[in-house]
Amino acid sequence: QVQLVESGGGLVQAGSSLRLSCAASGRTFSSYTMSWFRQAPGKEREFVAYISWSGGSTYYDDSVKGRFTISRDNAKNTVDLQMNSLKPEDTAVYYCAAKRSVIQPTMNYNYWGQGTQVTVSS
């Protein structure tokens, strides 16, 4: 099993940057596929970004492509989400997620963090 704790959220103005971090417990972190999801008020949770166990493969939702960057450090058991050029529509609770499977990287995650709030004002 793995436990996930997100940090780094906050209130920023449009056009600003934030860096979210997810700290994972466990000695097998490097074997997990990791992703970030978000959930805005009144909306369903949606996929944001994915990174493979090695960090060699990434994938982004079109809404954040070119603005967000996902990365991981397997030595430190962390996965980060660098968010640039933030927009008001990026406002949401952001969740870190993990799973063992490499199939369907945008869904079916088994482990979730508690979430961190990101609010972007216009």
Side-chain angles (χ1 to χ4, degrees):
Q1 285 194 348
V2 63
Q3 293 184 325
L4 307 171
V5 179
E6 303 96 335
S7 62
L11 171 63
V12 297
Q13 291 187 333
S16 299
S17 298
L18 270 179
R19 189 176 184 90
L20 305 183
S21 187
C22 174
S25 65
R27 292 176 290 179
T28 59
F29 173 74
S30 61
S31 66
Y32 284 85
T33 293
M34 302 296 298
S35 280
W36 285 93
F37 289 76
R38 66 186 180 186
Q39 186 167 19
K43 295 187 177 181
E44 293 188 355
R45 187 161 53 190
E46 64 179 10
F47 168 80
V48 174
Y50 147 87
I51 190 164
S52 63
W53 64 272
S54 68
S57 178
T58 58
Y59 178 75
Y60 300 89
D61 183 78
D62 286 345
S63 64
V64 306
K65 200 173 296 183
R67 299 187 298 122
F68 290 12
T69 303
I70 189 171
S71 61
R72 68 188 296 164
D73 186 333
N74 287 339
K76 296 181 178 179
N77 282 16
T78 59
V79 58
D80 291 349
L81 185 68
Q82 177 65 41
M83 306 186 295
N84 298 330
S85 302
L86 282 162
K87 304 175 181 180
E89 50 264 44
D90 294 319
T91 295
V93 177
Y94 283 71
Y95 297 91
C96 177
K99 65 176 181 178
R100 291 276 198 175
S101 173
V102 299
I103 299 173
Q104 295 183 319
T106 66
M107 61 181 68
N108 298 333
Y109 282 78
N110 307 107
Y111 305 101
W112 296 85
Q114 83 290 347
T116 185
Q117 176 70 47
V118 172
T119 303
V120 184
S121 63
S122 58

